[in-house]
Amino acid sequence: MAGERRIALLNGPNMSNLGKRDKNIYGTIESLEALEALVVTTGRQFGLAVEPFHSNDEGGLVDWIDETVGRFDGYVINPGGLWAHGDPTRLALAATGRPVVEVHFANILKTGGRSVFTESVEGTVMGLRQFGYLGAIAALAHKLGEA
Amino acid sequence: MSSQAIRSDDRRWRIGVLGGPNLSRVMLSGGEATGDQLAAQVVTWGEDLGVEVVPFQSNHEGRLLEFVHRENAGLDGYLVNPGGLIRFGESLRHVLSESGHPAVEVHLENLPQLGGESHFTASLIGICAGLREHSYLAALTALTLALDDPTFLHPDGDAPTNRKDGKPRNLYGG
């Protein structure tokens, strides 16, 4: 395990409802647990240890980020609806000093809005459903491998 | 590790990788590089995934349009870094939007202006930005897996959730 890179996988409000959401946006993945398992398994194939966490409350995300500071080499976050206003979460992630990739199933920018996370996260992946998480994992694995 | 292990199909998708004006010289993780060097790296990542990358960079928008006119029937999707066309590249946006294939927007930098200034994002299926050259790796990986999925971008899929034409859905309806 020495030298293995650790990645936090964060999912925000409404993501625990995956499987019952609009399939035109979220596709056919069965549940949040299935999504987490997919990302953990794919991470392992790229040499990354992925640890998932979810909260429907922004405070829950901020608490966990604070409690686990120093544990992770990078973060993948789907902030859910917090894309529109989640500065506390954005700031907590920025304070870790680690690379953060924001991922969304949907193409958020099609709404005409922009994410508050964009200004301080390193990367943005949107619109490719669950496969955006796997693209983020591949990118982080290569990036951290070069560090 | 071969990335083919994460795929659910073994079809050799053909992905056009377009670079617009100002991408003949780029800043990557290891320093300054040419557009050709970046393209060669993306081709290698494609081989690792089992897909064929067809790169094309031009400082002339008309050449980019003609590449799409000529190649579209034989391609399954696109990555597009519009370069300096990001704000006003209407003709390139339009030809990709009407191509009938999914296109993913790619940027080396995570531009805070993305939501306000990219003329492309609302027309294309998705975006990968900010991870330097690894933005291309993220986009190629995600697009390949999405093309493998009959319920998402597979050209032969017919599920109601399929988006083979590459048109994104709006969270706010439509």
Side-chain angles (χ1 to χ4, degrees), chain A residues 20 23 46-47 55-56 89 91 102 109 119 125-126 145:
Chain A
K20 288 177 277 186
K23 288 184 167 32
F46 280 102
S55 180
N56 286 316
T89 307
L91 291 165
E102 178 188 10
L109 300 176
E119 72 176 88
V125 180
M126 296 181 177

Side-chain angles (χ1 to χ4, degrees), chain A residues 9 35-45 48-52 134 137:
Chain A
L9 170 64
L35 173 65
E36 290 173 342
L38 175 65
V39 181
V40 167
T41 299
T42 304
R44 197 175 297 129
Q45 289 171 303
L48 300 177
V50 176
E51 184 174 335
L134 307 186
I137 287 292

Side-chain angles (χ1 to χ4, degrees), chain B residues 1-165:
Chain B
M1 183 217 73
S2 166
S3 299
Q4 293 186 58
I6 65 172
R7 293 187 59 185
S8 60
D9 197 331
D10 60 1
R11 191 153 145 182
R12 190 169 169 78
W13 304 116
R14 296 189 84 236
I15 312 290
V17 174
L18 299 174
N22 316 113
L23 294 171
S24 44
R25 304 201 60 78
V26 291
M27 184 59 70
L28 304 183
S29 302
E32 202 173 275
T34 67
D36 285 345
Q37 288 170 319
L38 173 59
Q41 174 64 85
V42 183
V43 167
T44 300
W45 283 329
E47 289 303 321
D48 206 44
L49 280 163
V51 302
E52 182 181 346
V53 164
V54 185
F56 184 76
Q57 187 275 330
S58 178
N59 292 329
H60 302 255
E61 188 174 17
R63 304 296 89 74
L64 295 167
L65 306 181
E66 288 160 0
F67 174 89
V68 177
H69 301 165
R70 189 172 64 242
E71 302 289 340
N72 191 54
L75 296 175
D76 300 299
Y78 295 90
L79 269 49
V80 56
N81 184 339
L85 293 175
I86 182 174
R87 288 202 290 165
F88 304 119
E90 167 58 14
S91 299
L92 181 58
R93 180 210 68 78
H94 197 173
V95 76
L96 289 170
S97 175
E98 65 186 2
S99 69
H101 298 315
V104 180
E105 185 176 359
V106 178
H107 295 281
L108 299 169
E109 294 175 0
N110 203 33
L111 306 166
Q113 307 93 299
L114 277 179
E117 288 204 10
S118 173
H119 191 61
F120 290 78
T121 320
S123 293
L124 307 184
I125 195 77
I127 181 166
C128 295
L131 296 161
R132 289 282 153 204
E133 65 272 21
H134 300 115
S135 305
Y136 288 82
L137 174 60
L140 198 58
T141 303
L143 179 60
T144 297
L145 294 172
L147 284 166
D148 287 348
D149 185 348
T151 69
F152 190 17
L153 297 179
H154 197 292
D156 303 332
D158 57 8
T161 60
N162 185 285
R163 293 281 165 272
K164 68 181 82 169
D165 63 4

Side-chain angles (χ1 to χ4, degrees), chain A residues 82-132:
Chain A
L82 297 176
W83 66 262
H85 58 82
D87 274 339
T89 307
R90 177 181 75 78
L91 291 165
L93 288 167
T96 67
R98 298 289 189 268
V100 180
V101 184
E102 178 188 10
V103 176
H104 291 277
F105 275 66
N107 181 344
I108 299 294
L109 300 176
K110 175 133 181 83
T111 64
R114 65 177 80 178
S115 170
V116 304
F117 285 78
T118 307
E119 72 176 88
S120 55
V121 299
E122 184 158 326
T124 298
V125 180
M126 296 181 177
L128 293 156
R129 299 186 185 167
Q130 68 268 34
F131 306 116

